[in-house]
Amino acid sequence: MFGPSYPIARQGQEQTPLVLRNILSYVSAMSIRPILIHPDPRLKKVCAPVTDISRGLQKLADDMLETMYDAPGIGLAGPQVGKMQRFFVMDVSAKETEPEPRVLINPEITWTSEEVNTYEEGCLSIPGIYENVTRPAMVRMRFLDIDGKQQEEEFGGMAATCAQHELDHLDGKLFIDYLSAIKRGMITKKMKKLKKERSRE
Ligand code: GNR
Ligand code: NI
């Protein structure tokens, strides 16, 4: 009604009182973007690095956070909303706690653990499908934050899985690419049917 109840992705915004934040987000309203559904050629492309962290990109990142929270999901990558650039948003904070919205730009893995973890993954571009995927249990990522500042951070647990899932999106890779060709084929067929049904509505 009056904008988001979680902090939006700009520096210093967490200091802004809630009332003012609501007024600000009303002036520059955020919006929910349509999420591309597999199969879509845009979800298979390698994205280009971000060269300019413009106000437009910050606005889009806010929209993507709103879209992600609305879905709901814990991550969303540029190509999922048709923006073919190397950035993603995520928030893996627990439901009961304060939201922790993140924007990672031009992310690169600088280290992965030998130890692996298997999580049942889902994807907002492949709705209703959940399958086990095994990935490194921990990763270090170097990236630019929304203010263009270089950061390096270690992710573990759900954050490690999510960050790797999102980085894969930037390279045109989906979690179903880790499954057998037979399983992937069945899922793709299901998604084609879903898209056809949705387009008839
Ligand atoms: O919301 C999401 N949940 C999720 C669960 C397990 C592993 C990865 C994810 S990411 C997904 C949102 C999404 O599609 N991001 O690209
Ligand atoms: Ni995904």
Side-chain angles (χ1 to χ4, degrees):
M1 192 167 57
F2 287 118
S5 55
Y6 49 84
I8 55 179
R10 259 182 308 287
Q11 191 184 38
Q13 209 71 53
E14 56 281 2
Q15 313 294 37
T16 314
L18 190 65
V19 251
L20 185 55
R21 211 160 72 205
N22 284 342
I23 293 164
L24 288 172
S25 59
Y26 181 74
V27 169
S28 175
M30 293 166 67
S31 48
I32 292 164
R33 307 257 178 153
I35 298 172
L36 301 182
I37 303 300
H38 167 76
D40 187 299
R42 289 166 288 184
L43 295 173
K44 305 211 74 175
K45 290 205 168 80
V46 176
C47 294
V50 171
T51 54
D52 175 32
I53 302 175
S54 63
R55 187 66 196 85
L57 187 82
Q58 293 170 337
K59 163 89 176 81
L60 178 60
D62 280 344
D63 283 356
M64 284 167 61
L65 281 165
E66 190 182 25
T67 304
M68 178 191 82
Y69 287 120
D70 175 72
I74 58 170
L76 192 66
Q80 291 183 280
V81 293
K83 185 78 177 175
M84 306 309 292
Q85 291 187 2
R86 304 190 72 82
F87 74 104
F88 64 81
V89 300
M90 74 170 185
D91 186 341
V92 294
S93 64
K95 270 197 202 89
E96 323 77 54
T97 64
E98 274 291 296
E100 287 166 29
R102 312 280 319 259
V103 184
L104 284 79
I105 300 166
N106 296 342
E108 287 174 58
I109 290 182
T110 54
W111 172 82
T112 58
S113 63
E114 293 288 329
E115 187 198 341
V116 293
N117 229 336
T118 302
Y119 267 107
E120 190 170 68
E121 296 198 18
C123 182
L124 294 175
S125 294
I126 316 172
I129 307 290
Y130 304 90
E131 297 285 347
N132 280 337
V133 177
T134 300
R135 302 179 188 267
M138 284 175 288
V139 295
R140 266 191 97 73
M141 260 189 206
R142 185 157 57 206
F143 57 94
L144 299 176
D145 66 21
I146 198 64
D147 302 308
K149 199 167 156 244
Q150 190 174 290
Q151 308 276 1
E152 190 156 7
E153 206 174 314
E154 197 166 301
F155 296 107
M158 199 64 227
T161 292
C162 185
Q164 291 174 81
H165 173 117
E166 301 313 331
L167 182 52
D168 273 352
H169 273 299
L170 308 184
D171 290 319
K173 195 161 183 179
L174 301 172
F175 83 90
I176 56 171
D177 294 329
Y178 295 96
L179 309 177
S180 71
I182 292 194
K183 227 170 196 180
R184 187 164 55 249
M186 277 165 32
I187 293 166
T188 300
K189 192 173 159 191
K190 217 172 191 176
M191 289 301 112
K192 282 182 179 165
K193 185 162 169 265
L194 176 74
K195 285 173 80 166
K196 209 170 265 173
E197 282 166 3
R198 282 189 181 180
S199 71
R200 272 201 288 265
E201 275 171 17

